[in-house]
Amino acid sequence: MSEWISTVIALSALGLSAVTAYTQHRNRKKEILAARVTAYFHRTSEFAKIKLPDGTLRQAGYHLVIWNHGPAPAENVELEVKDREGVGVTLADCPDDEFPLERIDASGRYPIPWLPVADAHRGARRFTVVLRWQDGNGRQERVLPIRRGETNS
């Protein structure tokens, strides 16, 4: 009887070890296939001079930077910026055909001059950024509240 109990305990331990190994392998594979996309404001040391498609020269004190700090590339990256009321923010130096971005490799950054078209958005400080992308784990989405600091304008 004790041999039978010992065999059952040993087989149970073996089964548990196999399940644990499989789970760890699957989680590690997910980590390797993941892109970790985020966005943040980057204050430029001097105002960046931006020439818009219509020839107008504008100055940007900030860039909205999209950053993939994951081990895998992010593909078909989409960006949506909203103000506190949920109204979309249009950026002057970001034409309609700029997104989705085809690919941002691991450690890749994509800066966009922060030049809101609407006057109401120029002085605002708090926004929501919605990022969507595809990685080895499928379609992903991240919603980020972001805050811009003071500028010299």
Side-chain angles (χ1 to χ4, degrees):
M1 180 77 156
S2 66
E3 287 180 23
W4 184 79
I5 293 174
S6 296
T7 303
V8 169
I9 291 173
L11 288 174
S12 296
L14 180 62
L16 182 60
S17 294
V19 169
T20 302
Y22 171 75
T23 302
Q24 287 179 340
H25 171 72
R26 190 181 77 216
N27 289 342
R28 180 67 183 138
K29 188 173 180 179
K30 278 185 173 182
E31 287 176 20
I32 291 170
L33 296 174
R36 290 188 201 97
V37 181
T38 193
Y40 62 92
F41 280 120
H42 171 71
R43 175 82 166 99
T44 57
S45 58
E46 294 184 21
F47 282 101
K49 291 177 177 54
I50 309 298
K51 186 174 185 177
L52 300 178
D54 67 359
T56 306
L57 281 176
R58 296 268 309 272
Q59 293 185 1
Y62 283 87
H63 283 85
L64 177 63
V65 181
I66 302 171
W67 177 31
N68 177 10
H69 60 98
E75 297 178 342
N76 298 314
V77 180
E78 298 174 19
L79 169 72
E80 187 178 353
V81 182
K82 299 178 183 180
D83 65 13
R84 291 178 71 178
E85 288 75 35
V87 176
V89 177
T90 303
L91 299 176
D93 194 35
C94 190
D96 292 338
D97 63 348
E98 189 159 351
F99 288 93
L101 296 174
E102 190 172 316
R103 179 181 172 118
I104 299 179
D105 286 326
S107 301
R109 295 170 200 248
Y110 190 82
I112 304 164
W114 184 253
L115 296 170
V117 172
D119 289 335
H121 294 141
R122 289 191 190 141
R125 298 176 68 172
R126 290 172 37 182
F127 300 90
T128 300
V129 171
V130 180
L131 294 162
R132 294 178 191 90
W133 70 93
Q134 178 87 27
D135 63 16
N137 294 315
R139 194 80 183 137
Q140 309 295 325
E141 180 177 286
R142 187 163 187 200
V143 179
L144 301 165
I146 60 173
R147 183 178 184 276
R148 183 179 59 85
E150 293 295 325
T151 65
N152 296 333
S153 59

